[in-house]
Amino acid sequence: MSRESRHYRKEEPKSKFVQAVVIGAVVGGCLSLLDKSTRHSVKASTKQWYERINYLAKNPDRVIDQVRQATTQMRTTVTKVSDEVAHLVDTVEELSHIPSEVSQMIEETKEAFVAERKKAGLSEQQVK
């Protein structure tokens, strides 16, 4: 037996499995149609799909316009969201600098007080 014939035999059960699954699905679908309410539901949904496809076939320009409008609206929304995200990033970046600026101001204030104390000739114990 050649390698090709062995390889073919290995794939054969897979194709039978898929075939059996498809047959089982078809049989199950047919059995479910024995129920009257299921038949009516399938009939109604099939009719809706037929009407939708028929509408699309008869009005391709409207469908194309709707797709263009949806695309334009999506682009606009993406642009707005991108702008808002960029603004938020800028704000967060600005806010991240505030702690260093505040600590710098505190350090400068502390240095100014220390300098004033030295000028006045006060020690730390006399201030407390």
Side-chain angles (χ1 to χ4, degrees):
M1 219 183 266
S2 70
R3 285 186 172 180
E4 291 176 16
S5 63
R6 276 188 262 152
H7 182 66
Y8 177 76
R9 286 185 179 191
K10 286 182 181 178
E11 288 188 22
E12 191 174 330
K14 288 182 183 177
S15 61
K16 285 184 179 180
F17 174 75
V18 172
Q19 183 181 10
V21 169
V22 170
I23 290 172
V26 169
V27 170
C30 291
L31 287 175
S32 69
L33 291 175
L34 293 175
D35 180 44
K36 189 175 185 176
S37 64
T38 304
R39 279 195 311 273
H40 288 295
S41 175
V42 169
K43 183 179 176 183
S45 64
T46 303
K47 184 178 178 181
Q48 287 176 344
W49 276 103
Y50 174 78
E51 289 171 357
R52 287 179 187 169
I53 292 171
N54 197 20
Y55 174 81
L56 293 175
K58 288 182 180 179
N59 302 299
D61 293 337
R62 283 188 175 179
V63 174
I64 291 171
D65 287 342
Q66 289 174 349
V67 169
R68 284 184 183 150
Q69 287 175 357
T71 304
T72 302
Q73 186 177 11
M74 200 174 349
R75 284 183 187 151
T76 302
T77 303
V78 167
T79 301
K80 285 180 181 178
V81 168
S82 296
D83 291 345
E84 289 177 12
V85 167
H87 177 70
L88 285 172
V89 167
D90 291 342
T91 303
V92 167
E93 189 174 314
E94 288 174 16
L95 291 174
S96 69
H97 294 296
I98 288 176
S100 63
E101 291 172 4
V102 168
S103 67
Q104 184 180 2
M105 285 174 46
I106 291 171
E107 189 62 35
E108 289 172 0
T109 305
K110 179 182 172 187
E111 289 171 4
F113 279 119
V114 169
E116 284 296 317
R117 272 195 240 150
K118 284 182 182 178
K119 247 188 203 179
L122 297 174
S123 68
E124 242 182 80
Q125 291 176 349
Q126 289 174 332
V127 173
K128 289 182 181 179

